[in-house]
Amino acid sequence: MKKIILGMIASVISLSFLALTSFAHDGPEPHEGKWHPSHSGKVLTASGLSCIRTAVSTREAGVRSAYLSYSNATISALDARAKALDTAWTLTGTTERWIARDRAWEDWRKSSKENRDTFRTARKTAWENFRKSVQSCWVHASQVETYKTERTDVQ
């Protein structure tokens, strides 16, 4: 009985070793070198490179503009909140002061949300325009950007 069990164990080990060595991958690993599973293997033409370069530059200018507008609008909203709170603390009446403080914070919340929504819309528009531009370049998407690239540009 022991011989049968030992024989079965030995055969399982030898078969698993055989399977591991025969299915081994000889090429580069997915994260080494230039190998990528979705790479089509085609070389980009000079016109394709120029087209993509223009699309990327336009996208980056749009994203930069969205961030700049968001920053400026947020700073303006913070200044307005600071001024409103300063004014609220000059009021001597408790009820008036409470109402003024509450209004300052409510205005801040409202403008902050509007700024964030405007920013997200502008950033999304820049990426959508980029995708449309790349389609006109006649280049496969895997050679341009990955879905992870856009996800890194998130706030």
Side-chain angles (χ1 to χ4, degrees):
M1 185 69 156
K2 286 183 181 180
K3 288 182 181 180
I4 294 173
I5 293 175
L6 287 176
M8 290 174 59
I9 291 173
S11 63
V12 167
I13 290 173
S14 63
L15 284 175
S16 62
F17 179 76
L18 179 66
L20 287 175
T21 57
S22 64
F23 292 120
H25 178 64
D26 292 334
E29 292 300 316
H31 301 293
E32 292 178 9
K34 296 181 181 179
W35 184 83
H36 190 274
S38 64
H39 183 66
S40 64
K42 294 182 180 176
V43 177
L44 292 175
T45 62
S47 63
L49 287 170
S50 176
C51 183
I52 292 172
R53 242 179 99 210
T54 302
V56 169
S57 295
T58 304
R59 178 197 68 206
E60 291 303 308
V63 170
R64 181 186 184 282
S65 176
Y67 273 101
L68 187 61
S69 297
Y70 176 68
S71 297
N72 291 337
T74 301
I75 289 170
S76 295
L78 285 168
D79 290 343
R81 183 183 76 185
K83 185 178 179 185
L85 287 171
D86 184 54
T87 302
W89 283 102
T90 62
L91 301 173
T92 56
T94 306
T95 305
E96 293 119 359
R97 188 173 51 247
W98 184 85
I99 291 171
R101 284 183 9 230
D102 190 49
R103 185 175 302 129
W105 282 103
E106 185 58 35
D107 290 346
W108 158 253
R109 279 189 287 276
K110 200 181 299 182
S111 64
S112 179
K113 183 183 181 323
E114 288 171 4
N115 294 341
R116 197 170 39 254
D117 291 344
T118 302
F119 165 73
R120 288 179 178 158
T121 301
R123 189 188 62 216
K124 183 179 177 183
T125 301
W127 277 94
E128 287 172 352
N129 291 340
F130 167 72
R131 283 189 212 92
K132 288 175 187 173
S133 296
V134 167
Q135 286 178 352
S136 69
C137 295
W138 294 95
V139 175
H140 192 270
S142 67
Q143 292 182 320
V144 181
E145 303 282 355
T146 64
Y147 75 95
K148 291 179 184 178
T149 307
E150 182 179 359
R151 300 295 181 245
T152 61
D153 182 29
V154 174
Q155 180 170 359

